[in-house]
Amino acid sequence: MLRTTLLKRATSVTAPLIQRASYTVASSVSSNGVRVAASEESSPVSSLSVVVGAGPRYEDASNLGVSSVLKSFAFKNTHERSAFRITREAELQGAQLSVAQGRESLVYSAEFLSKDLPYFVQLLSDVISQTNFAKYEYLDVKKASQEQSKQSLASPEVKALEALHSVAFRNGLGNSLYSHVGSKATYENLKEFVNQSFVGSNISVVGTGVQKDQLDELVQQHFAKLNQGVKAKSAATKYYGGESRLEAAGEQSTLALAFEGASLSSAEYLKLQVLRYIIGAEKTTKWGAGVTATSAAVSKVPGASASTFNIGYSDAGLFGILVNSSAEQAQNLTQTAIDQISKAAAGVSEEDLKRAVANAKFETAQLVDTRLGRGQIIGEQQLFGNGKQQIFDVIAKLDEVSSKDVSEAAKKVLSSKPTLVTVGNNHTLPYVDSFKF
């Protein structure tokens, strides 16, 4: 069964949970540069994730949209197996196959009974190194990719976040996750992109619920056909900030406001995770108005919703708030969140700090507690971050974040140039200079 999954990133759990769910990750590098990591857990079910540095960050002006098309080629015909055979054999073994795309990576994954590890290492190596990329299939795959992208971009929230990245970073991390009519992807530059990206030094293989020695041996056997190549590179990310206004019909409007954030592996990112829950636009219970001024303000407006975000990449990040409401209310709700950042810059109480740290831990613990979540995080850590750092060591560091740390992070956020995107009734929606920072 094929399943396309959007996986979130993150980082956290309370101390007792860390002790009970302490997954030890062992890692190594194969002879052709493939990074191998295993989380040895006692479970009848295992997972395997192959993380490739082939996200849209690595596109340029000549091939924009090629990563999205490449994602849609996942589990198509290979030299050894037809797409039908791949699907049928996975179903017969009770397994699930999926592909996920981030701005920096593509992740090919399988979940299966632990005894079937050898088969799925072979299968994913076949998908990675032997996909046909037949020319006669290309137009259909590209059309399907554009249709999926069109459906995703019909969401005002998705459209706003895409525009937010474009305005904030312009190129690189500003490149779209989606393929659209203006895509520059061609069959020729798809093949070129694959040849550059699918090399040993640009790939990480992660198994959960598997033995490290067995995984090493299988990767060495089946991924040996890959050339070592050179790890994917792009220019260092620069944050610019700015404003974009997209007109859209409807009673509700969407506003996204962001500031310069921090890279995923940095200590600053953890401080921003805590600050995110100090602002607290979301409610954690079905009833009530929440415990922050931001969530209380949102709950008073019928049909309104809001969420804070802290998005981290290998060398940059975005921190901010996403608001859905009537155009008339969007400014007030967003200003409330800005005021909470300013309040945090002046000081954070121990009670608020404790609550925010607990929420940050719980959210991240949920993400890391899935096999695919662990696989993607470990794999991207191996490729883009500190591969020697254990996931739960990072989680435990949230306890070290102090009130002073959060205040300093808030000051730094407010000192950066804001990025604003509005989608909806732009005659009424606020401009960036309408806010008090």
Side-chain angles (χ1 to χ4, degrees):
M1 178 173 63
L2 298 182
R3 185 181 66 190
T4 301
T5 312
L6 289 177
L7 297 176
K8 298 180 180 178
R9 300 164 178 257
T11 18
S12 323
V13 145
T14 60
L17 285 175
I18 293 173
Q19 294 170 4
R20 288 199 295 269
S22 181
Y23 304 107
T24 300
V25 179
S27 61
S28 61
V29 180
S30 70
S31 59
N32 63 344
V34 175
R35 293 164 175 80
V36 184
S39 176
E40 299 186 1
E41 307 155 17
S42 177
S43 171
V45 179
S46 300
S47 74
L48 189 69
S49 294
V50 180
V51 181
V52 186
R57 172 178 187 155
Y58 302 104
E59 298 171 351
D60 57 35
S62 69
N63 64 1
L64 290 174
V66 70
S67 179
S68 178
V69 177
L70 178 57
K71 174 192 171 187
S72 295
F73 253 110
F75 306 111
K76 297 294 185 183
N77 297 335
T78 73
H79 296 327
E80 300 294 330
R81 297 172 172 86
S82 66
F84 175 79
R85 178 183 169 187
I86 291 172
T87 303
R88 185 60 172 158
E89 289 182 350
E91 288 177 337
L92 289 173
Q93 296 182 72
Q96 294 182 335
L97 304 176
S98 61
V99 59
Q101 181 191 33
R103 293 187 185 275
E104 296 184 288
S105 66
L106 283 175
V107 185
Y108 300 80
S109 299
E111 293 180 279
F112 48 86
L113 296 175
S114 298
K115 66 180 180 61
D116 296 324
L117 175 65
Y119 171 80
F120 285 98
V121 174
Q122 183 185 37
L123 172 63
L124 289 187
S125 72
D126 191 28
V127 169
I128 293 297
S129 63
Q130 300 293 317
T131 293
N132 285 339
F133 296 108
K135 194 167 186 176
Y136 72 86
E137 285 186 296
Y138 174 76
L139 290 179
D140 287 338
V141 171
K142 183 177 181 180
K143 184 177 180 180
S145 173
Q146 290 177 339
E147 184 58 34
Q148 292 168 5
S149 297
K150 182 180 178 181
Q151 292 175 8
S152 297
L153 291 170
S155 163
E157 293 86 353
V158 172
K159 185 181 292 186
L161 287 173
E162 283 297 297
L164 197 72
H165 280 79
S166 179
V167 174
F169 300 124
R170 300 183 183 175
N171 302 313
L173 290 175
N175 293 340
S176 178
L177 285 168
Y178 303 99
S179 176
H180 48 78
V181 177
S183 170
K184 300 296 179 64
T186 65
Y187 176 74
E188 288 71 25
N189 61 35
L190 171 70
K191 292 291 293 282
E192 182 181 2
F193 190 72
V194 168
N195 291 335
Q196 292 174 349
S197 304
F198 286 62
V199 294
S201 60
N202 201 41
I203 289 174
S204 177
V205 178
V206 181
T208 67
V210 303
Q211 297 297 312
K212 177 63 166 55
D213 291 344
Q214 183 186 17
L215 183 59
D216 275 336
E217 183 179 340
L218 290 168
V219 169
Q220 191 65 46
Q221 176 184 351
H222 295 295
F223 282 79
K225 59 179 75 75
L226 290 171
N227 294 323
Q228 181 166 351
V230 179
K231 185 177 178 182
K233 294 181 180 179
S234 71
T237 300
K238 181 180 179 180
Y239 175 85
Y240 293 91
E243 185 171 3
S244 177
R245 303 175 69 80
L246 307 174
E247 192 70 31
E251 295 182 2
Q252 294 286 90
S253 293
T254 299
L255 182 152
L257 176 70
F259 303 88
E260 184 174 10
S263 63
L264 188 62
S265 60
S266 67
E268 193 69 20
Y269 178 84
L270 298 182
K271 299 173 187 178
L272 290 175
Q273 277 289 82
V274 178
L275 177 61
R276 176 187 170 192
Y277 286 99
I278 294 290
I279 301 169
E282 304 93 335
K283 295 193 299 181
T284 56
T285 58
K286 183 176 181 180
W287 293 277
V291 296
T292 69
T294 310
S295 61
V298 173
S299 68
K300 292 177 182 177
V301 179
S305 63
S307 60
T308 50
F309 56 83
N310 179 31
I311 308 171
Y313 300 104
S314 62
D315 64 346
L318 287 176
F319 180 89
I321 184 168
L322 184 69
V323 174
N324 288 286
S325 70
S326 65
E328 292 76 13
Q329 292 293 336
Q331 180 170 350
N332 290 336
L333 297 179
T334 306
Q335 185 64 57
T336 300
I338 295 171
D339 292 344
Q340 292 306 297
I341 301 175
S342 299
K343 183 179 177 182
V348 176
S349 71
E350 287 302 315
E351 181 181 352
D352 284 343
L353 177 68
K354 184 178 180 180
R355 172 185 55 80
V357 168
N359 276 279
K361 285 183 174 183
F362 180 77
E363 184 225 10
T364 305
Q366 285 185 307
L367 299 174
V368 178
D369 204 39
T370 66
R371 287 182 294 272
L372 293 184
R374 284 197 297 282
Q376 179 167 349
I377 291 171
I378 295 170
E380 293 185 340
Q381 189 183 61
Q382 296 289 314
L383 274 184
F384 308 123
N386 181 1
K388 297 180 180 179
Q389 210 168 29
Q390 300 288 338
I391 291 175
F392 285 94
D393 290 340
V394 177
I395 290 172
K397 289 183 179 179
L398 281 166
D399 281 323
E400 300 174 10
V401 176
S402 67
S403 298
K404 182 180 178 181
D405 290 333
V406 177
S407 293
E408 290 177 350
K411 292 175 184 177
K412 189 172 181 180
V413 162
L414 292 174
S415 69
S416 71
K417 182 179 179 179
T419 302
L420 177 70
V421 171
T422 58
V423 180
N425 179 9
N426 284 316
H427 180 74
T428 306
L429 284 164
Y431 288 84
V432 70
D433 58 10
S434 303
F435 296 107
K436 298 178 181 179
F437 297 103

